[in-house]
Amino acid sequence: MIALLVRDMRLAMRAGGGFGLGLAFFLIVSTLVPFGVGPDAEILSRIAPGILWVGALLACLLSLDRIFQLDYEDGSLDLLATAPLPMEGVVAIKALAHWLVTGLPLTLAAPLFGGLMNLESPGHYWIFVTLLLGTPALSMIGAFGAALTVGLKRGGLLLSLLVLPLYIPTLIFGAEAATRGTAGLDASTPLLMMAGITAGAMALLPFAASAAIRVNLR
């Protein structure tokens, strides 16, 4: 399992679409929004948590199609399907590798990029906490979507259309928790809801994704 995790992380960095592209896209979003909204510091501070969450979510989408596609193209996925490792564990490891090269760097960079939008001091903590809790769900849901579209030509657009509706609950509760925490309000309810989504995705989606992969490999 550890060898598979290290291999996937290396492939993600070498093949492109890893943390470098995601961070660059996240930085572009954080930089362009103030130009579009205007220099009003109060408005920027109010919308910053939501914009940062949207930017992180879209940045995660950039590399979802690579979770299984590279292995499918070189035949490694067929070998993994027949290996002693359970396919559910393979899916979970691949989702973890995606989070380590995409979700975790975005989480660490978000408080820094928040300064570009005049994010208040408490907001730096809350955007970090909410992304740390919510981005694993984005990677796991993305792995499920990638499993559904593996082997399809030009499946990137279809993958985005499948995954985006599933991302919306995490986005709503993550942005709401960050906004409430930044304003000094009670954020426990949206945090718990987001934690439930993450736990449910990690518990159920590896089985659904592994079933989809087996169907697509037949």
Side-chain angles (χ1 to χ4, degrees):
M1 286 293 189
I2 296 177
L4 180 61
L5 175 63
V6 173
R7 170 186 174 273
D8 283 353
M9 291 178 64
R10 288 177 177 173
L11 284 176
M13 294 180 183
R14 290 176 183 174
F19 70 93
L21 182 59
L23 282 178
F25 180 85
F26 197 19
L27 177 60
I28 290 172
V29 172
S30 303
T31 304
L32 291 182
V33 166
F35 288 109
V37 174
D40 192 321
E42 183 178 351
I43 295 178
L44 286 174
S45 178
R46 187 167 64 249
I47 68 173
I51 295 299
L52 288 171
W53 252 97
V54 170
L57 184 150
L58 295 178
C60 285
L61 281 176
L62 295 177
S63 57
L64 289 183
D65 59 334
R66 297 178 179 270
I67 294 180
F68 297 111
Q69 192 62 32
L70 294 177
D71 289 328
Y72 177 81
E73 292 173 355
D74 65 11
S76 299
L77 192 59
D78 295 282
L79 295 177
L80 290 172
T82 57
L85 295 175
M87 182 54 68
E88 293 82 5
V90 172
V91 171
I93 288 296
K94 286 187 170 292
L96 175 59
H98 178 269
W99 181 76
L100 289 175
V101 300
T102 303
L104 183 58
L106 293 174
T107 300
L108 296 175
L112 300 177
F113 294 166
L116 299 174
M117 290 185 288
N118 198 40
L119 183 65
E120 297 179 2
S121 296
H124 295 280
Y125 167 78
W126 282 102
I127 198 66
F128 172 80
V129 169
T130 54
L131 284 176
L132 186 64
L133 189 60
T135 48
L138 300 183
S139 293
M140 193 67 253
I141 295 171
F144 171 64
L148 290 175
T149 58
V150 67
L152 297 180
K153 293 182 178 180
R154 300 178 181 178
L157 178 59
L158 178 59
L159 174 58
S160 299
L161 293 176
L162 288 173
V163 167
L164 274 176
L166 301 177
Y167 275 178
I168 290 176
T170 304
L171 172 64
I172 291 174
F173 292 120
E176 181 66 16
T179 301
R180 288 189 182 185
T182 302
L185 303 176
D186 181 23
S188 59
T189 299
L191 273 179
L192 290 174
M193 294 297 293
M194 186 170 55
I197 293 173
T198 300
M202 296 176 67
L204 300 177
L205 291 186
F207 297 94
S210 64
I213 291 174
R214 293 189 180 99
V215 170
N216 287 331
L217 290 179
R218 289 177 182 175

